[in-house]
Amino acid sequence: MTATSLPPNSVPRVRVRVNRLVLYTVLVALTGLFIGPFGWLILSGLKTPAELAASPVHWLPTDFQWQNFADAFNLIDFLGYARNSLIIALIYAVLVTLSSAWVGFGFARLEAPGKKTLFGVLIGSMMLPQMITLLPTYLIFAKLGMVDTYWPWVFWGLAAAPYLVFLFRQFFAGLPRELEEAAIVDGCGYGMIFWRIFLPQSWPVLSASFVIAFTWSWGDYIAPQLLLSTDKSTLAVAVMTTYVTSAGTPVANLQAAASVMYVVPILLIFLIAQRGFVAGMSTTGLK
């Protein structure tokens, strides 16, 4: 049967199937592109040092070295460093999520002179590289006697984060004005309106903000390396600095194995909160 003799309704169906096939092919290719580095990390953690240094590249290990994961776990106080990372990440994620929600609520629902200018300055601060503020931050915390403590993460959390403020501001700006007007008529102040009405409505953005902030803190290497001693340091610092030989050469296969275990908590948190995360990222900015 030729294309000209096809039923009229079959041509759009063929086009839809071709478009879906192209779309799925692109999605599979992108998935492989994003998963590829993590897969290579797992394979690196299962190789011997000789296989990692071999040329040409050994794509698959000759004999899977599962012992590398046990060695990476036992050579350092892995659970202790993970506990430190968890404490810091939770402190920062909880505080910065709440403080960013409060600031975003103010930008979205309150009126004040210069509000747009101040919001523009806040968004513009996202363009500043972390390295610019690194030395002043260290000097401030050193003067306050907060080096080698977790207080810097408390203050960073209370100071809110510009990107999270933007997310909350966009979400709160899309909520109906009638909600707060009815609450004001009932005698509620803006503090009560925020805690009892707006914050419970924003669970998708709360979930997304918590995951983002937790990932920021869990993956941070510079601040813990700069501010904390070895005993109070985080897993990110331990993975990068402790798997070395007596000559100071990194043991790459153990670092790779430890990095895989280091990433697992982030993956679990995202899998648990992915529905709220996707909903939060997709609903901000919609009215």
Side-chain angles (χ1 to χ4, degrees):
M1 181 179 293
T2 62
T4 55
S5 60
L6 289 174
N9 293 334
S10 65
V11 176
R13 292 177 184 176
V14 171
R15 290 178 180 175
V16 169
R17 290 177 182 177
V18 171
N19 291 337
R20 287 181 178 177
L21 179 60
V22 172
L23 177 61
Y24 291 153
T25 303
V26 172
L27 291 177
V28 170
L30 290 176
T31 301
L33 181 64
F34 288 119
I35 295 179
F38 186 63
W40 181 252
L41 183 67
I42 296 175
L43 291 177
S44 299
L46 294 171
K47 294 179 180 179
T48 63
E51 288 176 327
L52 281 176
S55 182
V57 177
H58 283 204
W59 294 99
L60 294 175
T62 304
D63 186 17
F64 289 93
Q65 303 294 317
W66 297 104
Q67 185 63 30
N68 288 343
F69 288 89
D71 292 341
F73 186 85
N74 294 323
L75 284 177
I76 65 172
D77 185 11
F78 198 92
L79 291 180
Y81 287 120
R83 182 186 64 247
N84 295 342
S85 294
L86 183 63
I87 292 172
I88 290 175
L90 286 176
I91 289 174
Y92 177 75
V94 171
L95 292 179
V96 80
T97 298
L98 293 177
S99 61
S100 299
W102 179 245
V103 176
F105 173 79
F107 276 116
R109 314 304 291 199
L110 303 180
E111 297 297 332
K115 184 181 75 170
K116 292 183 179 180
T117 302
L118 186 60
F119 185 70
V121 173
L122 178 72
I123 298 302
S125 66
M126 291 192 296
M127 300 176 64
L128 293 175
Q130 185 183 10
M131 298 302 295
I132 292 179
T133 60
L134 194 60
L135 182 58
T137 299
Y138 177 80
L139 293 176
I140 291 173
F141 288 131
K143 291 286 186 181
L144 296 175
M146 295 181 181
V147 175
D148 201 22
T149 69
Y150 294 156
W151 280 106
W153 283 266
V154 174
F155 283 98
W156 281 326
L158 293 175
Y163 178 67
L164 302 184
V165 170
F166 172 77
L167 289 182
F168 279 105
R169 187 259 183 190
Q170 295 300 99
F171 181 83
F172 288 144
L175 294 180
R177 180 68 64 177
E178 290 78 12
L179 286 175
E180 62 186 277
E181 291 177 350
I184 292 173
V185 170
D186 290 338
C188 293
Y190 277 102
M192 190 175 296
I193 292 173
F194 170 74
W195 286 105
R196 294 192 176 183
I197 299 177
F198 278 70
L199 196 63
Q201 300 259 1
S202 63
W203 70 265
V205 192
L206 287 171
S207 177
S209 299
F210 179 84
V211 172
I212 293 172
F214 189 94
T215 304
W216 285 346
S217 183
W218 183 270
D220 187 18
Y221 171 82
I222 298 177
Q225 175 75 343
L226 184 67
L227 297 172
L228 299 177
S229 62
T230 302
D231 294 337
K232 295 182 179 180
S233 192
T234 61
L235 191 57
V237 176
V239 168
M240 295 301 298
T241 59
T242 56
Y243 296 104
V244 294
T245 63
S246 57
T249 305
V251 184
N253 59 336
L254 294 185
Q255 281 187 339
S259 298
V260 172
M261 294 186 288
Y262 165 74
V263 171
V264 167
I266 294 295
L267 294 179
L268 292 177
I269 289 176
F270 180 78
L271 288 176
I272 294 172
Q274 63 175 328
R275 180 175 297 180
F277 180 82
V278 174
M281 298 300 293
S282 61
T283 55
T284 50
L286 297 179
K287 288 194 175 183

